[in-house]
Amino acid sequence: MKFAFVSGNLALDLAGTLKWRRDSPEELLATPDDLADWTVAAGVLTNRPDVTATDLTAMLDLREAVYRLVTTTAHPGDLDLLNTHAAGPAPTVCVTENSVTRKGSVASVGWAVAWALADLRTERPTVRECQRPECTRIFVDRSRTANRRWCGMQECGNRFKAAAYRARKVN
């Protein structure tokens, strides 16, 4: 799977689509098709929306605003950008006896991301950055003891634990 949804919040999962920010950034949303795939993988929409280059740029701008709002001092205009997306059209949900369908455009995805961040800011849970030095994913720590260290066990936690085990065995 190309995308990881380990952050516990849709807005943080969008922020995680730029991996390894400090050293060698890996862009997971390089094309409009990537963004269309992410919207379905994230569960925001049931079917891939039509995505233009302009839509992609707008979502990447929102992603960076989310990252700054959660991790550092926000840039002027980040809250305005978030509020613009929050005022956009919500996805349309159709519930039947056998399924739930979510329809909308990229603007609807922006709405969902903005509202996810708004909920996060209202809830004020513990938000952490992964402790694997190379990783820059941020996540909500909802662990019972509030001491979660990695964004996810598959990619970062296992590597960190394996390296610690090897270091103990060498010494």
Side-chain angles (χ1 to χ4, degrees):
M1 177 194 232
K2 182 176 182 176
F3 305 111
F5 298 95
V6 296
S7 297
N9 178 277
L10 179 67
L12 302 184
D13 283 329
L14 177 63
T17 61
L18 180 59
K19 295 172 60 177
W20 326 119
R21 288 171 179 264
R22 283 186 286 275
D23 299 326
S24 52
E26 180 183 339
E27 178 61 75
L28 300 181
L29 300 179
T31 68
D33 282 341
D34 293 337
L35 177 57
D37 291 342
W38 184 85
T39 65
V40 174
V44 180
L45 301 176
T46 303
N47 298 312
R48 295 174 82 244
D50 293 328
V51 180
T52 66
T54 302
D55 293 332
L56 177 61
T57 299
M59 287 301 293
L60 295 179
D61 289 345
L62 178 59
R63 175 188 70 190
E64 295 310 304
V66 165
Y67 188 80
R68 288 188 299 265
L69 285 164
V70 173
T71 61
T72 62
T73 303
H75 289 181
D78 282 349
L79 287 175
D80 290 338
L81 179 63
L82 182 70
N83 287 326
T84 297
H85 283 277
T92 303
V93 177
C94 178
V95 180
T96 67
E97 287 187 32
N98 300 319
S99 68
V100 175
T101 304
R102 294 171 188 85
K103 298 179 182 178
S105 64
V106 176
S108 302
V109 177
W111 177 91
V113 168
W115 276 92
L117 185 61
D119 285 344
L120 187 69
R121 291 174 68 98
T122 301
E123 183 184 335
R124 297 190 183 274
T126 301
V127 176
R128 301 185 190 283
E129 183 176 78
C130 184
Q131 287 187 5
R132 182 175 171 207
E134 304 85 356
C135 187
T136 55
R137 278 199 187 114
I138 46 181
F139 61 89
V140 177
D141 182 357
R142 290 193 174 99
S143 64
R144 185 173 48 89
T145 56
N147 65 351
R148 182 174 159 193
R149 298 171 58 192
W150 304 287
C151 60
M153 282 304 294
Q154 281 188 333
E155 189 168 357
C156 292
N158 281 342
R159 289 181 185 188
F160 193 87
K161 286 184 173 189
Y165 176 80
R166 284 190 302 274
R168 284 193 309 271
K169 289 298 179 182
V170 169
N171 294 329

